[in-house]
Amino acid sequence: MSFLYEILSTLNRFLWNGPLLFLLLGIHCLFTVRLRFVQRHLPEAIRLSGGGQKKHGFRSLTTALAATLGTGNIVGVSSAIALGGPGAVFWCWLTGVLGMATAYAECYLSMTHRKKDSSGKTRGGIMYVLEYALGSKKAGRCFAYLLLIASFGIGCSTQAGTVTETAASLAGLAPVITGLILVFLVGYVILHGSLAITKLCSILVPLMALLYLAACVILLFFNLPYVFLSLRLIMTSAFSPTAALGGIAGGSFLLSARYGIARGLFTNEAGLGTAPLAFTESKESSPKKAALLSMSAVFWDTVVLCALTGIVIISSLLRVPSLAEHYTATTLTSAAFSLLPCGELLLGISLIAFAYATLIGWSYFGAQAVTYLFGENALSTYRICYLVMIFLGSVLSLPLIWELTDFINACMVLPNVLALFLLRKSVKAPNP
C-alpha cells in the first residue's frame, strides 16, 4: 500500500503542479475570450438564482454549491497562503473569475445534449456529451466510472474523515460514534431520492454559507485597521517576492501562482465536469439560463468565499503575527478564528456543515453516474455502498484515498476539457 501511495503522490504532484494547471487555465481563458467575457452577465445569473426554495434554478444552484463548498474553501486557502504566500489569494481569486466561463460552457453543452430515458426522465452530463455529441460511448462510460469512483472518494470518505476529526476536536466523540451518526443523517436524506437531496440543499447551503460569511465579516470588523494592508499585500506579493508574514514564508511569483491557481481550480471544480450534473435533471429548458446559474456557483465558491477566507487569514496574521507559530499550514484559518470569542467552535461547526453538504451533493452526482452505467435499478445498491464508505472514511485513516481521489479527478479533467475544446464553437454566449 505504501508503494502505491508513493506512486500516486508523485503522479499527483506532477499533474496538479504543472500540466493540469496550464490545461485548465488555458481552457478558462479560451472560453472567457470566445464567450466575450461571459462573466459580465453575472448580475443576471444572480438574479436567476433568486426566488427561494420553490424555484428549480435555486435548488440546482444550491445542489451544485453543496458539492463544491467544502474543506477546500477553508483548508485549501489556508495551505495556499502557507505554501505560496499572501499573493496566492489573488491567483486563487483570478482562477475563480476565469473559471466561470468554463463552468458556463460545461453546463451549456450538458443541457443541449440531454436525453430522455425509457421512463421519460431527462438525463444529462459530460458522459452524454461524450457519447452523443462526440460519438464515443466508451469515453462516456469511462467518464461515468471515474465519476462514480470519485463520489466514493472526494465526495464521501474524505469528507467523512473531516467530520470525524472535527467532532473529536470539538466534543471528543469517538470515530465510530461519529461515523454511525453521519451514516444515519446522510442515509435519511439520500435514501429518499434526488428530490429530498435538492430540498435539503436548498435549505442547508444558504444557512451554512451565511453562518460562515457572518463570522468572516465579524473578524474583518475586528481586523479593520489591517484589511487595506492585507489587500495591498495580496496584490503586491502576487507579482513579486515578499517577506515572511508571521512565520509564513514569503512567496515568489511562481510559488504564489502555482499554489493559488491549484487550490482555486480544486475548490470550484470548473473543468472537472461535475457541476452541470446539478442542472441537467431540472425542469429548466434554457441551456443559457442553466449555464449562467452554474457560472454563479463558481463565483460564490471561489470569488467570494475563498477570497474572503484569504483576507481574514492575512489580516489576522498582520494583527497578531505570532499566531502562525502555533498552527500548521492547514490550520491557519483556525488561527484567525481563534481571535473571535468561540471562533474555533464556530469554524468547527462550519466545517462539519460544509462536509455534510458535500456528502449529500456528491451522492447526487454519483447516482447519475450509476443511472447512466447501470440504470435506476442499481441506485439502491449504490446508496448502500455510499453509506458504507462514509462509515469507513469516519473510522479509518485514508491518506491513500486522498491521493487516489486527486488522481481520479485528474483523469476526469482530460476527457472533459477535450470535449469542451472540440465543441467550443457549439457554446453560445448569452444574449447581449
Side-chain angles (χ1 to χ4, degrees), residues 54 76 113 136 164 225 324 367:
K54 294 184 179 180
H113 294 92
S136 178
T164 297

Side-chain angles (χ1 to χ4, degrees), residues 67-132:
T68 56
L69 288 178
T71 54
N73 298 85
I74 298 173
V75 178
V77 176
S78 175
S79 61
I81 293 172
L83 297 170
V89 177
F90 169 80
W91 293 107
C92 182
W93 176 84
L94 183 64
T95 302
V97 172
L98 296 176
M100 287 192 282
T102 300
Y104 178 95
E106 286 177 329
C107 192
Y108 184 93
L109 289 173
S110 295
M111 291 292 291
T112 54
H113 294 92
R114 292 193 296 178
K115 301 293 179 182
K116 286 190 176 181
D117 62 15
S118 56
S119 64
K121 292 183 179 179
T122 303
R123 308 290 184 186
I126 296 300
M127 50 274 203
Y128 292 88
V129 174
L130 291 166
E131 178 176 352
Y132 294 102

